[in-house]
Every structure is written in C-alpha cells, then in structure tokens.
Amino acid sequence: MAKLVINETKVLGEIAPEIYGHFSEHLGRCIYEGLYVGEDSDIPNVNGMRKDVVEALKEIKVPVLRWPGGCFADEYHWMDGIGDKKKRKKMINTHWGGVMEDNSFGTHEFMELCKQLGCKTYVNGNLGSGTVQEMSQWVEYMTFDGVSPMADLRKENGHEEPFTVDYFGVGNENWGCGGNMTPEYYGNEYRRYQTYVRNYNSKKPIKKVCCGPNSGDYHWTEAVMKTCFDHVPEEQHGFMDLISLHYYTVPGPWSDKGSATAFDDEEWYKTLKKAYLMEELIRKHSAIIDQYDPDKKIGLSVDEWGNWFNVEPGTNPGFLYQQNTVRDALVAGITLNIFNKHCDRVKLACIAQMVNVLQSVILTEGEKMLKTPTYHVFHMFRHHQGANLVDSNITGTGETGTGEFMVPEVTESVSEKEGIYTITLNNLSLTEAKELDVVFTEKKSFEVVEANILSSADVKDHNTFDEPSKVTEKSFDGYSLDGGLKVTVPAASVVEIRLK
Ligand code: AHR
C-alpha cells in the first residue's frame, strides 16, 4: 500500500507567500485589456483597473506582482510612463507584436494595481539599454521621502507619499534579450547599477534581484556569483537579496512548441517530465549559490516559470496567447509543490504571466473573463502561503509515463498553519487512481476541514468564454477516516486536503 508519510514534528521552514507571485509584462493583452482598460472604458473599472479581474485575483491572494517585463523591461524608459496621460510618449512595442504602446499604464498605475490587489511590488529595472542614472532616478522617484528633483516630480504628478518598492530587479535576462552579456560582464554591471538602487527608507528596504540563469545554465550562476562576490567585504553582502532563475516548460522545439489543447499521451508525460525538471534546476543552482552563501541569505527568485505552447491559432504570434487545460493545472501543482519543498532557498516566484499571456490564471475577451485551471490550483494552494513546511514523503509508489518520459506517480507537499495541515497532491498518471494511507508521526485523530479537487473528464478540457466553468475546483470526497486516513487521488488530478 502506498503511503504519504508526514513527520509533523519536523518543521523544515516557512513557505514564503511570495512563492505564489505573478508576472505582468507589457506584452500582448496582459496589461492592456487584461488588467487595465482605462478610466473611460465601458468595462467596469476602478481607476482604470478591471473590477472583475481584480476581484478574481484577490481570491487567490496574489502576494507580489512583477512588472514591466521581461524583455520589455530592458527597453522601458520609465519617464515615458508618468505625468499627463495625453502627453505621454507613444512608441512601438518592437519586442512584442509591433503594436502601439501609449504608456498609459506606467509607474503610478502599477502602484495603484498593487494597492487594489493588496500585494507587494516587484519593479524590474532597465540595465540592458538604460543608464545607471535612469535606474537610480526611478528608485528616487518612487521611494524618496524628502526634497529632491525626482521626489518633487512624483509629487507634481499627484503622489505626495513615496511608493513602496519591495523588490527591484537589476535587469532581466541579461544573458539574452537584456543585452546579450557574458556572466562576468553582467556581474560587474550588477555591482555598479545596484550601488545606486538606494534604500531611502530603512524601515522598508528594497530587496535587490540579480539576474540569474536561464534554465540549466550553471556556468552563468557560477560566474555571476564569483564576479559579484570578488572583493566584497562581509558587511556589504546585502547587495544581493535574491538571484533569479527563469525556466519555461516547452514540450517541443521553439519552432513548434506544441499545441496548448491538442496533445497525446506522450506529450502529456513529456510536458510533465519537463516541468518536473524544476526540482533538479533548483537543487543544482542552489548548490552553486551555497558556495558563496552557505547561510542561505540570498533567495532564489524563480520569477518566470510556466508552460509555453504555440499561440492559439489566428492570434498575433507576438502576443503569446494560449489556452489552459488540466495539463496546465498539473504543471502548476507539480511546480508549486517543488517550490514549497525548497522553501529554504526559493523565496519568490512568478508564474508567467498573470492574464492573457502564456500560462495565465485569467483570460479575457472584451468584457468577458474566465478563470483557467491554473487559477484553481493557485486557489487551492493559497493555504500554503506563510505556512510551515513539514517533512513529508511518499513511499510505495513508482513512476508512470511512456518510453523516455517517466515521472513520479504522485507528488506532494504538506504545510501547517494555526494547527491546520494543508496537503496538496498531484496524480501525474493519465489512467491510474492512487490510494494513499496518510500516516503522521504522532497525530492519530483527524478531522477534515476541507478538501477540493481539480480534474475533468478529458485532460484536454479547458474553459472557454462560452463554457467558462468546464474545469473548476470542486469539493473532494475521495477519502475515508475509518482506521486512519486514506485518500484516493484520481488519475490526472490535483487535490487539496486540509486537516486538523
Ligand atoms: O514571458 C515572456 C518572455 O520570456 C519575457 O519577456 C522574457 O523575460 C522571457 O524570455
């Protein structure tokens, strides 16, 4: 009999809420249409932000939002996006779809959105094509509480009080779209630029994010860390709070990544196997970081992750609009369980992207909105935010899959908060339900507080604007408490059980 063994006496760390973060770029219909429609829109909004979307996002407790990119960040000049909207510069978003960017969503609008969501702010600066002065002035504009040219400009633009910048990214993907730099060159640039990302408010210090590797590029991690730590006295080690990791699950080659909704069994397992690689990436990059930071003061920020498929047929290839099925739910569940289990090092993560781009939690069409299967996984997993990770493992199970694409049958993570244990399980098999005996070290009596499941008759099922609730979270009753807790996790499902 397979077992889920939980040693509740062994607490492994706190799961940072920011692991459940999101990413919003000036790309396709993520910001414009998806989140922001402007004050004059017929779509109900508060200060330009869609009411329906903000309401839905509040239900999943978005902890942090990253903006304005992505590749867009290293082409973004923040001064174009402040002041009178009618006078803001228009430009072509050359990176994404060649469409007009009117800069009507800028710094103040981003801060307003985060205020409405009640989340932390993660602003990504421009190192690739911007100057040290430009980056330094943006930080001064947003956070300086006193008399200074930039603080005065912010006040003239209607915001007397400084904004809070919780995280600041010093460039994005500088190994690629952010300047095609070598790790040594970027490491030196990071040292220089971050010097001028000043902490004007010692009570709310900005956490600085260094640009880390692309998936399995271990050389980048090693060389950036080496360069950054060369000749840096101990007391200055706070110059890097986090280092990023970007990893997308792409089933096929870039030229044909695969369809989001039409896939066979082999592609199911191939996708899940590629998603599961996240575990190895975190482990191996962490081992390199450990050499420079054995006390784990530097967090790993997996600030771009998720499935990347071919765009929906007939849509702008530069908009990266894709549908979302039960397969996406499994990738989200697998990845979030991995992040939970690595909460000693992973301190922040952002799924790409929040609305209408890549593995979104929400899709919109005009005034319509739908929640994707991925949304429901974030909703089920929200109880892990800020909870204590407890030791757990699954015994008596093996692997499932086809040919070279073998994956664990079931993955899990378990956390505790205020006496309630949240168990999240993914059954990766397309065909076999899995029965698990749940065994705690000391706890012998259980009461199920709530249990939910995400699954569907066909793993290719997805929500459409005609049928927006085909795949949703449902109440789960596949457990029994007679003679201990037993859970039967259906094939291809994500399950959450909360116990006390
Ligand atoms: O999320 C889409 C793009 O993927 C981002 O702009 C970039 O950082 C990454 O390559």
Side-chain angles (χ1 to χ4, degrees):
M1 175 71 168
K3 281 187 185 160
L4 166 58
V5 182
I6 301 171
N7 181 357
E8 76 278 23
T9 62
K10 194 168 167 191
V11 172
L12 299 173
E14 188 186 316
I15 298 172
E18 291 78 17
I19 284 176
Y20 290 83
H22 293 255
F23 171 39
S24 60
E25 182 167 12
H26 287 240
L27 195 176
R29 298 185 301 111
C30 181
I31 300 280
Y32 300 111
E33 287 186 44
L35 290 159
Y36 177 78
V37 286
E39 295 85 341
D40 301 331
S41 172
D42 291 338
I43 297 174
N45 68 84
V46 176
N47 297 329
M49 313 300 155
R50 285 182 76 127
K51 265 186 169 178
D52 54 352
V53 172
V54 169
E55 276 314 307
L57 291 171
K58 279 164 80 170
E59 287 170 27
I60 56 172
K61 281 180 57 189
V62 171
V64 62
L65 183 58
R66 176 172 179 247
W67 170 84
C71 295
F72 186 81
D74 281 287
E75 292 189 25
Y76 184 60
H77 300 287
W78 68 272
M79 282 209 183
D80 297 347
I82 54 169
D84 183 351
K85 282 188 191 169
K86 285 187 221 82
K87 293 190 190 142
R88 291 188 194 176
K89 274 191 200 162
K90 294 188 174 40
M91 61 185 264
I92 298 298
N93 187 338
T94 46
H95 218 101
W96 301 117
V99 288
M100 173 73 79
E101 163 65 61
D102 68 2
N103 278 304
S104 54
F105 189 97
T107 303
H108 291 247
E109 291 74 24
F110 172 67
M111 294 294 174
E112 168 67 19
L113 174 59
C114 292
K115 190 170 125 196
Q116 291 187 24
L117 292 172
C119 72
K120 289 189 176 173
T121 59
Y122 177 173
V123 175
N124 211 112
N126 176 351
L127 179 142
S129 71
T131 61
V132 173
Q133 183 184 20
E134 184 182 9
M135 188 180 283
S136 150
Q137 286 183 330
W138 197 7
V139 172
E140 181 188 326
Y141 182 89
M142 292 187 284
T143 61
F144 189 66
D145 187 14
V147 178
S148 86
M150 292 300 115
D152 291 350
L153 185 58
R154 182 191 71 236
K155 290 173 195 167
E156 270 171 41
N157 288 332
H159 211 275
E160 188 68 27
E161 296 297 315
F163 296 112
T164 301
V165 176
D166 296 291
Y167 300 90
F168 192 88
V170 184
N172 167 73
E173 295 194 355
N174 303 93
W175 36 261
C177 64
N180 286 303
M181 299 172 187
T182 63
E184 292 81 9
Y185 182 81
Y186 171 76
N188 282 315
E189 289 293 83
Y190 175 81
R191 294 174 67 128
R192 189 164 72 107
Y193 275 69
Q194 70 78 30
T195 307
Y196 304 96
V197 176
R198 303 273 192 219
N199 263 319
Y200 292 112
N201 184 347
S202 56
K203 290 198 192 105
K204 291 183 191 166
I206 298 171
K207 291 200 162 101
K208 298 173 194 177
V209 187
C210 173
C211 170
N214 179 24
S215 53
D217 187 352
Y218 301 108
H219 172 65
W220 178 276
T221 306
E222 171 60 45
V224 165
M225 293 302 288
K226 187 170 191 287
T227 308
C228 287
F229 276 79
D230 190 18
H231 282 87
V232 177
E234 186 72 33
E235 63 274 15
Q236 280 175 28
H237 278 193
F239 75 110
M240 184 193 294
D241 297 287
L242 298 111
I243 181 164
S244 66
L245 163 66
H246 288 184
Y247 175 61
Y248 286 97
T249 300
V250 190
W254 277 102
S255 53
D256 182 12
K257 303 171 200 70
S259 160
T261 51
F263 52 88
D264 59 18
D265 294 3
E266 184 173 285
E267 275 178 282
W268 164 273
Y269 288 113
K270 187 177 183 185
T271 308
L272 301 194
K273 188 175 170 74
K274 288 196 165 189
Y276 195 67
L277 182 68
M278 181 68 89
E279 203 281 325
E280 178 181 318
L281 295 173
I282 292 172
R283 210 168 5 90
K284 290 188 173 169
H285 285 295
S286 294
I288 297 169
I289 301 166
D290 280 349
Q291 293 167 33
Y292 299 89
D293 173 42
D295 299 334
K296 297 194 185 331
K297 289 188 184 139
I298 298 175
L300 193 61
S301 172
V302 191
D303 47 40
E304 288 189 32
W305 69 269
N307 285 329
W308 193 324
F309 301 126
N310 293 338
V311 298
E312 279 302 291
T315 62
N316 185 331
F319 279 18
L320 310 185
Y321 178 75
Q322 65 189 42
Q323 255 295 353
N324 202 292
T325 67
V326 174
R327 181 174 56 161
D328 292 83
L330 262 293
V331 167
I334 291 166
T335 308
L336 293 172
N337 272 347
I338 293 170
F339 292 160
N340 286 346
K341 289 204 152 201
H342 284 278
C343 68
D344 58 336
R345 180 64 83 181
V346 181
K347 298 295 179 190
L348 195 155
C350 303
I351 190 167
Q353 298 191 6
M354 194 174 229
V355 187
N356 291 331
V357 172
L358 300 175
Q359 192 178 341
S360 309
V361 291
I362 284 176
L363 301 177
T364 68
E365 191 180 84
E367 78 287 355
K368 294 185 198 157
M369 179 209 91
L370 64 80
K371 298 169 179 172
T372 66
T374 300
Y375 174 97
H376 295 288
V377 173
F378 271 80
H379 189 253
M380 290 194 284
F381 278 57
R382 74 194 186 286
H383 298 112
H384 285 306
Q385 291 191 25
N388 295 315
L389 178 78
V390 298
D391 186 45
S392 68
N393 63 79
I394 293 180
T395 61
T397 59
E399 291 196 317
T400 180
T402 51
E404 58 184 300
F405 306 118
M406 300 302 290
V407 288
E409 287 178 296
V410 184
T411 74
E412 98 299 344
S413 71
V414 182
S415 71
E416 180 278 333
K417 195 177 184 179
E418 293 161 5
I420 298 179
Y421 292 89
T422 299
I423 303 171
T424 45
L425 297 156
N426 305 295
N427 185 342
L428 283 64
S429 167
L430 276 172
T431 50
E432 304 295 320
K434 200 82 216 169
E435 198 182 347
L436 297 172
D437 258 339
V438 182
V439 185
F440 281 78
T441 299
E442 287 179 357
K443 191 173 168 54
K444 297 291 172 242
S445 65
F446 310 102
E447 190 184 317
V448 174
V449 177
E450 69 173 309
N452 298 297
I453 183 166
L454 191 293
S455 64
S456 198
D458 186 331
V459 289
K460 295 188 278 304
D461 283 346
H462 52 277
N463 297 329
T464 63
F465 294 100
D466 292 331
E467 205 179 349
S469 302
K470 192 177 178 82
V471 190
T472 58
E473 181 184 341
K474 296 196 175 74
S475 178
F476 175 66
D477 58 8
Y479 59 88
S480 71
L481 289 164
D482 308 333
L485 176 64
K486 283 189 178 44
V487 183
T488 304
V489 192
S493 71
V494 181
V495 164
E496 172 213 31
I497 302 185
R498 304 188 69 223
L499 304 166
K500 65 175 186 189

